[in-house]
Amino acid sequence: MKAVIIGGGIGGLSAAIALKRCGIETEVYEAVKEIKPVGAAISIWPNGVKCLNYLGLHENITALGGNMAYLAYNDGHSATTLTRFSLSPLVQAVGERPYPVARAELQNMLLEQYGKDAVQFGKRVTHIEEQQDGVCAWFEDGHKATGDLLIAADGTHSVIRNWVLGYQTERRYAGYVNWNGLVDIDETIAPADQWTTFVAEGKRVSLMPVAGNRFYFFFDVPLPKGLDEDRDTLRGDLKRYFSGWCPPVQKLIDTLDPQTTNRIEIHDIEPFMQLVRGRVALLGDAGHSTTPDIGQGGCAAMEDAVVLAIALQTNSLGIEDALQRYQEKRNERVKDLVLKARKRCDVTHGKDQQATHAWYDELKTETGERIMAGIEDTVMGGPLA
Ligand code: URC
């Protein structure tokens, strides 16, 4: 059995590693010459970590992950702690730790595991065609690839998604802009072993530790789409949006490097409950695009990869049957994750000011129990729970 995998990002490479482990031949094609992730870092929650463990990457991921032992919310203006608690009960409940990691390092880890030289870069797919007993993919440079099945892991702007669904999906602007990057850990900004988030005005500033003594940081501001802002205006923009916020936030804005900070208008896609057509399966962002608000985009792609590999390995009624089972196992799960993230996104970013202020009040009485119950629910919905 041979699988053609379109996309060499987190989803495509996870799938390639997972299938290879099941003895399935794989070919990976990536559109760009060199992958430059739009996000500086990503949090891999225990459901994602378990998928990486399954792929034989446990030690690799622990080496890249930061020590996120505590979680805290602070008021953005006064820096007063609203809630702070240990994540240890969550780890005990679900059987694994969360690991925030730098995106480029995660990408590199997956590339090394699969085999860097085995990925064909600069191969942008133009169209695909299903044949009698296989699938054909054509690329801009005229190259043609054939396999028994095709995995479309070509991201949120997937071109294969249209072929699978038979219609064009629209990305939905989630209503906020996210700036993200990496800085050296500075304990006058936040503790080194804590996920710290400053909240006020429907905005937030958040820091998570990653390996190498660095913080992954992100700023969120509810804004209209299409503003004329870029790297050149970045520090001034943040200073303006966070004017009057506490000293740690000011220090972070002063410290960050605008040249390596990303500015992203956050989108998702309405869940569409179809991941498969014949011998073609959508995987990762191609099949479900989420806002980052529960940190599950990358994890969901890893889950897809593991479930797909197991379906292909353990069913004997043929590829189409195995892909149908993959779709059945994943549809509800990925829809839940997208909608859960959207709900959190709206509360966090002041879609309804009253709900956002009620949440700020709720944080003052939060012992960790409710937040960890929510995360546990998300994590335990995964395939390896
Ligand atoms: N926003 C992010 C979040 N990343 O940009 C991230 C979030 N990781 O709300 N949550 C998480 O775990």
Side-chain angles (χ1 to χ4, degrees), residues 43 45 178 195 204 208 216 218 292-295:
S43 42
W45 287 95
N178 168 286
W195 178 14
R204 69 175 164 165
M208 284 181 176
Y216 163 43
F218 56 90
D293 289 75
I294 56 170

Coordinates of all heavy atoms in Angstrom, one line a residue, residues 43 45 178 195 204 208 216 218 292-295, ligand 1:
S43 N 1.1 25.0 21.8 CA 1.1 24.2 23.0 C 0.5 22.8 22.6 O -0.5 22.7 22.0 CB 0.2 24.8 24.1 OG -1.0 25.4 23.5
W45 N -1.1 19.8 24.1 CA -1.7 19.3 25.4 C -1.6 17.8 25.4 O -1.2 17.1 24.4 CB -3.2 19.8 25.4 CG -3.2 21.3 25.7 CD1 -3.2 22.3 24.8 CD2 -3.1 21.9 27.0 NE1 -3.1 23.5 25.5 CE2 -3.0 23.3 26.8 CE3 -3.0 21.4 28.3 CZ2 -2.9 24.2 27.9 CZ3 -2.9 22.3 29.4 CH2 -2.8 23.7 29.1
N178 N -3.8 38.4 16.5 CA -2.8 37.8 17.4 C -1.4 38.0 17.0 O -1.1 37.8 15.8 CB -3.2 36.2 17.4 CG -2.1 35.4 18.1 OD1 -1.0 35.2 17.6 ND2 -2.5 34.8 19.2
W195 N 2.2 29.2 32.9 CA 1.4 29.8 31.8 C 0.7 31.0 32.4 O -0.2 30.8 33.2 CB 0.5 28.8 31.2 CG -0.4 29.4 30.1 CD1 -0.2 30.6 29.4 CD2 -1.5 28.9 29.5 NE1 -1.1 30.8 28.5 CE2 -2.0 29.8 28.5 CE3 -2.3 27.7 29.7 CZ2 -3.1 29.6 27.7 CZ3 -3.4 27.5 28.9 CH2 -3.8 28.4 27.9
R204 N -5.8 40.2 25.7 CA -5.0 39.5 26.6 C -3.5 39.4 26.1 O -3.2 39.6 24.9 CB -5.5 38.0 26.8 CG -5.3 37.2 25.6 CD -5.8 35.7 25.8 NE -5.9 35.1 24.5 CZ -6.0 33.8 24.4 NH1 -6.0 33.0 25.4 NH2 -6.2 33.3 23.2
M208 N 4.0 31.5 27.8 CA 4.2 30.1 28.1 C 5.7 29.7 28.0 O 6.3 30.1 27.0 CB 3.5 29.2 27.1 CG 2.0 29.1 27.2 SD 1.4 28.0 25.9 CE -0.4 28.0 26.4
Y216 N 7.2 31.6 25.0 CA 6.3 31.9 23.8 C 5.3 33.0 24.3 O 4.7 32.8 25.4 CB 5.5 30.6 23.5 CG 4.3 30.7 22.6 CD1 4.3 31.6 21.5 CD2 3.2 29.9 22.9 CE1 3.1 31.6 20.7 CE2 2.0 30.0 22.1 CZ 2.0 30.8 21.0 OH 0.9 30.9 20.3
F218 N 2.0 35.7 23.4 CA 1.1 36.2 22.4 C 0.2 37.3 23.0 O -0.1 37.4 24.1 CB 0.2 35.1 21.7 CG -0.6 34.3 22.6 CD1 -1.8 34.6 23.0 CD2 0.0 33.1 23.1 CE1 -2.6 33.7 23.9 CE2 -0.7 32.2 23.9 CZ -2.0 32.5 24.3
P292 N -6.9 29.4 17.7 CA -5.9 28.7 18.6 C -6.4 28.7 20.1 O -5.6 28.4 20.9 CB -4.7 29.6 18.4 CG -5.2 30.9 18.1 CD -6.4 30.7 17.3
D293 N -7.6 29.1 20.3 CA -8.0 29.5 21.7 C -8.1 28.3 22.7 O -8.1 28.6 23.9 CB -9.4 30.2 21.7 CG -9.2 31.6 21.1 OD1 -9.1 31.7 19.8 OD2 -9.2 32.5 21.8
I294 N -8.0 27.1 22.3 CA -7.8 26.0 23.3 C -6.6 25.2 23.0 O -6.4 24.1 23.5 CB -9.1 25.1 23.4 CG1 -9.5 24.5 22.1 CG2 -10.3 25.9 24.0 CD1 -10.5 23.3 22.2
G295 N -5.8 25.8 22.1 CA -4.5 25.1 21.8 C -4.6 23.8 21.2 O -3.8 22.9 21.5
Ligands
URC1 N1 -4.0 31.1 22.1 C1 -2.9 30.8 21.5 C2 -4.6 30.3 23.1 N2 -2.2 29.7 21.8 O1 -2.5 31.5 20.6 C3 -2.7 28.8 22.8 C4 -3.9 29.2 23.4 N3 -2.3 27.7 23.3 O2 -5.6 30.6 23.6 N4 -4.1 28.2 24.3 C5 -3.2 27.3 24.2 O3 -3.1 26.3 24.9

